[in-house]
Amino acid sequence: MPTAVAPEHVEIQLGDRSYPIVIGSDLLGDASSFAAVPAAATALIVSNTTVAPLYAAALQQALAGRYREVHLLELPDGEAHKDWQTLNLIFDALLQRGADRKTVLYALGGGVVGDMTGFAAASYMRGVPFVQVPTTLLAQVDSSVGGKTAINHPLGKNMIGAFYQPQLVLCDLATLASLPPRELSAGLAEVIKYGPIYDMGFLAWIEANIDALIARDPAALAHAVKRSCEIKAEVVGQDEREAGLRAILNFGHTFGHAIESGLGYGEWLHGEAVGCGMVMAAQLSLRLGGVDAAFVERLTALVRRAGLPVTGPALGADRYLELMRVDKKSEAGEIRFVVIDRPGSAAVRSAPDAMVREVLAQCCAA
Ligand code: NAD
Ligand code: GLY
């Protein structure tokens, strides 16, 4: 993949917690990328057993001039390890190395590493600075931005966590060259999401460029990451702690989280579950009157072209409903869904169980 894309900046405006998202190629091995990160004696790079062998040496070298010591921790890889035991490995490493409250954590990896490192940064000594260096498309367009950090609980996805903003998000597009095709598709789910909820012009652009994105065309990827980050920055800038608007970013996630928890974490990728969940949420939006059948077909076709599943697993409607009640948007046991109330705009709504069952019957394998 050619890598000559000039860096772009998107600012996330949160008062004294504002920070830049820098998007470009070959950034993580360049010491100047980190010039604005607070000074400290030590840094800990948190990565995993897949990503560290690919990119940790370059990052360590780039950071060597800024810190007296740069340590590396390799976590086990996978959504199934996004739990207390793995989180505790970060605290073990920090304490064993005598990390102080200025120590900077660097999350080098996908959303799993990013979410866990962010949560560790939020809690270690009640908060140390951290930097996101996302290496999956999904993490570059969504999870590294906006300060949601979490681990899973066996009873619910991302149920234990904190809002905690990084100092910098550095999206090095060159890292996407080594991403397995299935992971690239998973990331496209979160890119597609921004269209129906916020920007129909972007949806049309994705439709026109989906083949280029799958082929990892650098200019197409750069635009997809930048526009996604711009939209996310606009939403988070208005509603950092999800009092209202930010919930729209969870389009497809209520169904998707049920798929992930119901099958066991890691069976379907998060992005796959979100892709299929968006098809289900679009079907629900149709029944609630926000969109027409042509819109649902259009979104379903794009999700399919992105290489994502559009038919949900046969968990059974009762189990789906049970799982969806364990959702952060639920109130007093009532499931609340992000639905499209008109193309390019989303809202949070409840729906009668019978309607949800109809959607599940239509969208899931028998
Ligand atoms: P992931 O972190 O599991 O990464 C996917 C796989 O790709 C892993 O095996 C990883 O080791 C590997 N990988 C990462 N970068 C690579 C590279 N450059 N080359 C080769 N392999 C690479 O999954 P993900 O899709 O990045 O993130 C999903 C997670 O993000 C979920 O836990 C989800 O809940 C979370 N998430 C959080 C937010 C948020 O706002 N915090 C938003 C969306 C998703
Ligand atoms: N990914 C949803 C959010 O950041 O709010």
Side-chain angles (χ1 to χ4, degrees), residues 46-316:
V46 181
S47 190
N48 70 22
T49 50
T50 304
V51 179
L54 297 171
Y55 302 113
L59 181 58
Q60 260 178 312
Q61 206 172 339
L63 298 179
R66 282 190 71 72
Y67 304 96
R68 212 171 48 225
E69 291 171 25
V70 180
H71 303 288
L72 171 65
L73 173 66
E74 293 186 26
L75 302 177
D77 185 6
E79 185 75 35
H81 295 287
K82 192 179 172 184
D83 58 13
W84 276 117
Q85 284 75 16
T86 311
L87 179 71
N88 215 32
L89 297 177
I90 307 179
F91 298 130
D92 290 347
L94 288 165
L95 289 162
Q96 282 158 5
R97 287 162 177 82
D100 60 28
R101 59 177 11 154
K102 288 191 168 175
T103 297
V104 183
L105 302 194
Y106 285 79
L108 175 68
V112 170
V113 164
D115 280 12
M116 280 196 295
T117 307
F119 190 26
S123 340
Y124 185 70
M125 292 196 178
R126 302 197 182 92
V128 293
F130 88 112
V131 172
Q132 290 273 16
V133 187
T135 61
T136 62
L137 181 61
L138 185 140
Q140 294 188 357
V141 300
D142 191 356
S143 66
S144 65
V145 174
K148 275 190 182 175
T149 74
I151 54 169
N152 299 328
H153 187 280
L155 295 180
K157 169 114 179 111
N158 290 336
M159 277 293 156
I160 320 290
F163 287 99
Y164 192 68
Q165 302 295 340
Q167 303 287 320
L168 162 73
V169 178
L170 193 80
C171 298
D172 189 334
L173 300 168
T175 61
L176 302 180
S178 55
L179 202 59
R182 192 176 161 199
E183 299 291 350
L184 188 84
S185 288
L188 288 173
E190 302 279 15
V191 176
I192 292 170
K193 167 186 86 178
Y194 293 111
I197 63 165
Y198 200 86
D199 182 352
M200 289 300 285
F202 187 44
L203 187 72
W205 180 89
I206 300 165
E207 287 173 323
N209 289 277
I210 189 74
D211 296 334
L213 289 166
I214 289 171
R216 306 179 199 219
D217 173 78
L221 283 174
H223 181 72
V225 174
K226 180 167 181 244
R227 186 63 194 134
S228 300
C229 288
E230 282 171 350
I231 294 172
K232 184 145 188 189
E234 283 172 29
V235 172
V236 172
Q238 293 172 62
D239 180 21
E240 181 185 8
R241 298 177 74 90
E242 202 168 306
L245 177 71
R246 185 168 178 167
I248 68 170
L249 298 174
N250 289 320
F251 178 54
H253 287 58
T254 308
F255 291 105
H257 284 171
I259 294 172
E260 285 187 88
S261 314
L263 289 176
Y265 299 122
E267 183 67 26
W268 276 31
L269 301 180
H270 175 72
E272 292 172 337
V274 167
C276 187
M278 287 194 292
V279 171
M280 295 172 167
Q283 286 286 359
L284 191 62
S285 310
L286 170 67
R287 284 164 176 79
L288 290 169
V291 296
D292 59 15
F295 179 93
V296 179
E297 191 37 54
R298 182 179 172 189
L299 184 62
T300 306
L302 183 57
V303 170
R304 197 183 281 116
R305 281 180 72 200
L308 295 161
V310 296
T311 302
L315 302 176

Side-chain angles (χ1 to χ4, degrees), residues 255 280 283-284 287 355-363:
F255 291 105
M280 295 172 167
Q283 286 286 359
L284 191 62
R287 284 164 176 79
M355 190 185 278
V356 179
R357 284 176 188 275
E358 242 178 70
V359 169
L360 292 167
Q362 181 168 358
C363 296

